[in-house]
Amino acid sequence: EGHEIVLTHGNGPQVGLVMDCFDSYKIDHDIDAFPMSVCVSITQGYIGYDLQNVMRESLLNQGLHVPVSTVITQVIVDADDPAFSEPTKPIGLYLTKEQLENRSIAGETFVDFGEKGYRQVVASPKPKHIVEWETIKSLLEAGQLVVACGGGGIPVIQQGNHLKGAQAVVDKDLSSALLAGLIHADYLVILTAVEKVALNYGKPNEILLDRMNIEEARQYMEEGHFGKYNMYPKFRAAVEFLEKREGRSALITSFDKLDEALKGKTGTLIR
């Protein structure tokens, strides 16, 4: 339909598995485990590999020749960000209480997610800048479909001209909003598990939201309607994207309803 697309993605389960693999290897071989920044870069590569191949094949099956590229993306964070002392970003798989008790790796923090189990959380500093944004924009302008900011991007701290990997994970929604602003995107589309955002989700008084403005989005966040680990970051990203320039729109919907949502038939639109 003529849209220029940059696709971003998460890596929560995958980066946790990569870390576990290296932690196990460290124990058996008496070497240092790979830092978080390296684990994020690994997941960017292998998830991007799968995504660009399946999209290339799908496009060719429709008679469309659209080059697809994955950009290994670094995101600058502040070394003094308070998030480094307050881990909040979930990674890895959900563990049972028994599995958690059998772990012996020091320095890990876990959160109880109720029926789902326990999940590790790590530092999630706010993204300040996308290092490769000009490369991404150039590929986009050349007619390519770009996969970028995988897992929120590789967190790095700027030290002069040197970029030092940080022991953290950047929120994918906030990085996506930052990148969308840098490349002057008109739409920030966040695909999730629900067709529309709801107030009082899962309760008898649930209210589905069709459209709202920035002020209403801020109000809903302040009133605590959205979960800290699921919908709240998406609304925060949408607001940060919209408040930088007029004429933009943010859309939250499910993957299977994307076509209808882009035509204004469903989804939650914020503008």
Side-chain angles (χ1 to χ4, degrees), residues 240-258:
E240 291 194 7
F241 171 66
L242 295 173
E243 65 187 4
K244 299 289 176 61
R245 197 183 79 193
E246 292 185 0
R248 294 174 171 176
S249 300
L251 176 64
I252 303 175
T253 191
S254 57
F255 180 83
D256 60 318
K257 296 294 182 179
L258 177 58

Side-chain angles (χ1 to χ4, degrees), residues 110-131:
F110 284 83
V111 168
D112 184 352
F113 282 84
E115 293 182 359
K116 291 183 177 180
Y118 297 84
R119 202 173 182 198
Q120 185 181 0
V121 291
V122 297
S124 182
K126 184 175 180 179
K128 308 294 289 185
H129 191 60
I130 310 291
V131 177

Side-chain angles (χ1 to χ4, degrees), residues 15-86:
V15 75
L17 288 172
V18 170
M19 287 182 63
D20 285 347
C21 289
F22 284 126
D23 285 336
S24 298
Y25 191 84
K26 172 186 176 182
I27 293 170
D28 294 337
H29 296 80
D30 193 28
I31 62 169
D32 290 335
F34 278 15
M36 181 78 73
S37 55
V38 174
C39 294
V40 174
S41 71
I42 290 170
T43 61
Q44 277 194 4
Y46 89 73
I47 296 173
Y49 155 71
D50 278 336
L51 287 175
Q52 71 180 41
N53 277 350
V54 74
M55 287 190 294
R56 174 184 177 275
E57 180 181 346
S58 179
L59 288 163
L60 289 173
N61 287 342
Q62 297 177 68
L64 298 171
H65 175 70
V66 180
V68 186
S69 299
T70 297
V71 176
I72 303 301
T73 314
Q74 300 174 95
V75 175
I76 294 175
V77 298
D78 190 338
D80 297 322
D81 193 306
F84 284 108
S85 59
E86 300 175 7

Side-chain angles (χ1 to χ4, degrees), residues 6 12 38 45 50-51 83 90 102 116 130 132 152 161-162 196 201 206 216 247 255:
V6 174
V38 174
D50 278 336
L51 287 175
N102 289 333
K116 291 183 177 180
I130 310 291
E132 289 79 15
N161 290 329
H162 176 65
K196 295 182 181 182
Y201 180 70
E206 178 179 283
E216 289 170 325
F255 180 83

Side-chain angles (χ1 to χ4, degrees), residues 88-245:
T88 60
K89 184 66 176 176
I91 65 167
L93 301 177
Y94 291 99
L95 304 178
T96 64
K97 188 173 183 179
E98 182 180 5
Q99 289 173 320
L100 182 60
E101 290 172 348
N102 289 333
R103 293 179 71 100
S104 59
I105 301 172
E108 292 184 336
T109 302
F110 284 83
V111 168
D112 184 352
F113 282 84
E115 293 182 359
K116 291 183 177 180
Y118 297 84
R119 202 173 182 198
Q120 185 181 0
V121 291
V122 297
S124 182
K126 184 175 180 179
K128 308 294 289 185
H129 191 60
I130 310 291
V131 177
E132 289 79 15
W133 77 270
E134 292 162 308
T135 301
I136 295 164
K137 192 169 188 293
S138 295
L139 290 169
L140 190 65
E141 291 171 347
Q144 299 210 27
L145 194 162
V146 188
V147 181
C149 280
I154 303 163
V156 293
I157 295 169
Q158 188 152 13
Q159 300 176 332
N161 290 329
H162 176 65
L163 298 175
K164 180 183 178 181
Q167 193 68 5
V169 171
V170 183
D171 184 89
K172 63 183 181 300
D173 298 311
L174 294 181
S175 290
S176 299
L178 178 59
L179 176 60
L182 287 168
I183 63 175
H184 305 299
D186 299 311
Y187 263 89
L188 173 65
V189 180
I190 301 177
L191 300 177
T192 184
V194 294
E195 182 177 343
K196 295 182 181 182
V197 177
L199 301 182
N200 309 312
Y201 180 70
K203 300 177 181 178
N205 60 338
E206 178 179 283
I207 301 172
L208 296 178
L209 301 174
D210 297 310
R211 291 171 176 261
M212 72 188 77
N213 56 37
I214 301 177
E215 288 72 26
E216 289 170 325
R218 288 197 190 101
Q219 179 184 337
Y220 292 143
M221 287 192 293
E222 290 171 2
E223 291 173 352
H225 285 288
F226 308 125
K228 180 179 180 181
Y229 297 106
N230 43 54
M231 197 57 70
Y232 182 87
K234 295 169 176 48
F235 263 76
R236 182 183 172 191
V239 168
E240 291 194 7
F241 171 66
L242 295 173
E243 65 187 4
K244 299 289 176 61
R245 197 183 79 193

